[in-house]
Amino acid sequence: MFVKVAFPIPTEQVFDYAVPAPLAAAVAVGKRVRAPFGGKTQTGCIVAVAATADVENPKEIMEIVEARPLFGPRELAFYRWIAAYYLYPLGKALHEILPGGKNIRSKTEKTARRMPTSAVPTLTPRQRLVLEALPEAGESDGISLAALRRDLGDVRTVVAALAKKGLVEIGERETFRPLPRRREVGPKADRPVLNAGQEAALREIVTSLRRGHFQTFLLHGVTGSGKTEVYLRAMEETRQGGGGAIYLVPEISLTPRLLARLEERFGGDNIAVLHSGVSRAVRYDQWRLLESGRLSIAVGARSALFAPVRNLKLIVVDEEHDASYKQDERLPYHARDMAIVRGRLEGATVLLGSATPALQTYFNATRGKVSLLVMPKRIADRPLPAVEIVDMAMEKALREGEAGAVLSRRLLAAIAATLQRRQQALLLLNRRGYHTFLVCRDCGRPLRCRNCEVSLIHHADDNRWKCHYCDYSVTGQSVCSHCKSPRIVAYGMGTERLEDEIRARFPAARVRRMDSDTMDRQGAHEELLQALGAEEIDILVGTQMIAKGHDFPNVTLVGVVMADSALNLPDFRAAERTFQLLTQVSGRGGRGDHPGQVIIQTFNPGHYALQRAKDHDYEGFYREETRLRRGLSYPPYARLIQLTLSCPRQAEGEKAAAALAALARELLGGSGERGGTTVAGPVEAPLARLRGRYRWQILLKGDGSRAVRGLARELMARFRVPGVRVKVDVDPVYFM
Ligand code: ADP
Ligand code: ZN
Ligand code: ZN
């Protein structure tokens, strides 16, 4: 018997090994093995079992890591599809996808059970005691010796003696490390009565689930329209039909209430939770509980899409527009796009939901590839919040000389009124830290990171200047590193400084801040959101984190301090992101009995992304944005692949980037254009230097995904320069 093993190395090749006789029974696709490779012992994954090998005298595998496979043939087909689509080696992809790590393996426990017998010989009192504590074979697969020890003390020798007499059978079974439970939750019966919009949407989804064929839906429901309830009902239906489901959310730590809602609905022990906040060992066990069919629902961030859910019938992608579904590093996959692929391979229903669908998804809906379900009204016909736009250019002119005038009089007055009504306010500022950046007044240079071509941001908490792209930071230095001038001035504003300003202006208010600086501790989000729900916070200041999926009835004011920060990014999706962010954060307001109010501060008051967000007009935004995209041949009207080339030495990198672009043009036949496929660049990346490496970008663009990917594949096969790394990003989302 032979196996083909994929190792986490940059090659498409898989390697043949012989299986020694004692391991033959345990061999299966989806198990990891330890095997000699390149003079070392390496862990790889079995991707095929065969009667013959393609090489002569293959080496032998040494050990099989798992008692049961981590995935089956259906998942393998899906993983292969992903690896091929993203031009990523299968072995490396498997390494990214599979849970566990070096020292994590499955655990087993010893069990004991009583054998049926009529004649019981004379026993010591202790032997009798233990024997009576054991369950009978046939009724149970035994009690674990660990559990017995808790009640009766160390019973190992007694059990062994009983086994010798033929009265007891000792067995072994797999154990699973439990999820840490925050509280005991049992299934709760009462569910809300669906409204007409929810009913209509659910009916179509249920029809698809019962048919059991692949179909993709877009549930376009405004914020607070009750989309989550529709997802939960669809999952109930799936379970009743004996199917499994995957429920993806952008960042599970930002939605602790969702987990509680799921646990209430399905019971805490019936859900596998897969995200980075759960330890690797527990995730590994959760994964295997799914594979064994003992659990049928997986909830988690993007990587939960890979989970080996049996008989997968439903994949829900909540907030499908969210950019965090795209992994930026290593295997740069998009979980929403791949959810559709997996749905097709498995014959499952895919349910994408959002108040602000990704342009691409809505485009697919207009083309009939995705079935559109619309819920245009909030629960209980609550109104959407009234949105005002404040022109900060006017405001600045009026208040010339007033330092730190980042809050308009309009917003200040609205905050004051909200506090007076004993209601709550959210203030969004998409920049962390204290001052956005610091500039030397004498030489004009900003304080920059040593490794990255970006400004350092001041953090008052620990009085350090920090790089937001690497872990470089310096302590409270106050002179220019360049000309030694002490005259340093602050430009812009971050969440930390905004918090201070709010505290100074509203000293009686209870102010808290939510950004990745305050939220790095486990459970910090949950604690803060709980405090907001308990109305122990009057004003919450934060980055886009505060825009995500929360539902707090007493929040009536939402202020967007600087809508321009996302608009000015060098990214063709800047307007789309801004529209989504503004709509989402606006949607946090007025979800209870009091109407909501939104104030957006900007230097671009006429911009269509802001105007359409003000009018809650998704379709208007979609029309305007698609017209621009079509004109520029950007997605959804073209396919993109971004190549990012990096090198620690500038001159070498620049030369290599030029050579790579030249090779691409040559492959297209010299003119740099063939059959609608084009090459742009190289250009210096917006982050021209990152973690000590200089960076360039080349953009491949084309009508068809196949042609563009073919070009990228050929480039990667031909191009190799020592010291130069090229990252291939199919359907890129981040352009920094
Ligand atoms: P969305 O995900 O669309 O923003 P949610 O699903 O969070 O909206 O629903 C908003 C609120 O309305 C939640 O508190 C939810 O429990 C409640 N809700 C949902 N459906 C109903 C219903 N049919 N009747 C009453 N309340 C509902
Ligand atoms: Zn840096
Ligand atoms: Zn200086």
Side-chain angles (χ1 to χ4, degrees), residues 359 606-609 611-612 617-630:
L359 205 79
H607 195 284
Y608 65 98
Q611 288 294 333
R612 298 289 83 78
D617 181 9
Y618 179 85
E619 276 167 36
F621 173 77
Y622 175 81
R623 275 194 300 275
E624 214 148 335
E625 182 67 14
T626 42
R627 194 169 45 76
L628 289 171
R629 298 269 183 99
R630 193 201 306 259

Side-chain angles (χ1 to χ4, degrees), residues 108-127:
T108 56
E109 64 182 4
K110 285 239 163 19
T111 60
R113 56 184 185 172
R114 193 148 37 120
M115 297 307 287
T117 161
S118 45
V120 175
T122 40
L123 299 172
T124 67
R126 184 147 171 81
Q127 284 173 338

Side-chain angles (χ1 to χ4, degrees), residues 449-452 454 456 467-472 690-691:
C449 172
R450 214 172 43 185
N451 313 315
C452 311
V454 295
L456 293 176
C467 172
H468 284 185
Y469 290 92
C470 73
D471 53 12
Y472 179 74
L690 186 63
R691 297 179 199 109

Side-chain angles (χ1 to χ4, degrees), residues 192-195 198 221-231 233 257 261 318-319 355 375 379-380 382 549-551 587-588 591:
V193 178
L194 297 186
N195 65 25
Q198 289 171 317
V222 296
T223 53
S225 58
K227 296 184 288 296
T228 311
E229 190 56 41
V230 175
Y231 307 148
R233 299 291 173 110
R257 298 215 340 183
R261 232 164 127 185
D318 195 357
E319 309 290 2
M375 298 202 301
I379 289 294
R382 284 177 194 127
H550 317 309
D551 190 16
R588 298 310 121 218
R591 293 169 74 98

Side-chain angles (χ1 to χ4, degrees), residues 423-588:
Q423 293 169 352
Q424 296 164 291
L426 301 183
L427 296 181
L428 171 87
L429 177 59
N430 229 350
R431 285 176 171 171
R432 290 149 57 200
Y434 203 67
H435 303 140
T436 296
F437 53 94
L438 295 158
V439 178
C440 171
R441 182 158 261 176
D442 291 319
C443 75
R445 286 187 169 83
L447 276 96
R448 282 175 179 276
C449 172
R450 214 172 43 185
N451 313 315
C452 311
E453 208 51 41
V454 295
S455 307
L456 293 176
I457 313 296
H458 189 230
H459 286 242
D461 277 351
D462 46 3
N463 194 27
R464 291 181 80 82
W465 292 351
K466 297 182 183 173
C467 172
H468 284 185
Y469 290 92
C470 73
D471 53 12
Y472 179 74
S473 76
V474 290
T475 42
Q477 157 195 353
S478 57
V479 297
C480 172
S481 55
H482 207 79
C483 73
K484 307 285 179 257
S485 161
R487 299 192 341 132
I488 306 287
V489 288
Y491 267 57
M493 143 140 338
T495 41
E496 206 179 327
R497 193 175 139 213
L498 178 63
E499 181 191 8
D500 283 357
E501 183 157 335
I502 292 289
R503 281 184 198 284
R505 286 188 185 263
F506 303 99
R510 295 161 302 175
V511 182
R512 295 284 298 274
R513 172 161 59 96
M514 184 186 224
D515 56 28
S516 52
D517 297 310
T518 56
M519 295 293 114
D520 53 359
R521 187 168 46 80
Q522 236 348 246
H525 291 108
E526 193 164 356
E527 184 259 324
L528 199 126
L529 294 174
Q530 218 139 48
L532 191 66
E535 297 177 25
E536 292 158 12
I537 297 175
D538 300 311
I539 304 174
L540 179 64
V541 171
T543 55
Q544 87 278 351
M545 276 184 192
I546 67 170
K548 307 226 162 155
H550 317 309
D551 190 16
F552 297 108
N554 201 40
V555 170
T556 54
L557 174 66
V558 173
V560 178
V561 175
M562 189 159 30
D564 311 278
S565 54
L567 213 49
N568 296 333
L569 290 175
D571 182 336
F572 73 90
R573 290 192 185 88
E576 182 181 352
R577 292 257 173 72
T578 301
F579 176 82
Q580 287 164 345
L581 179 64
L582 295 178
T583 305
Q584 290 290 341
V585 74
S586 303
R588 298 310 121 218

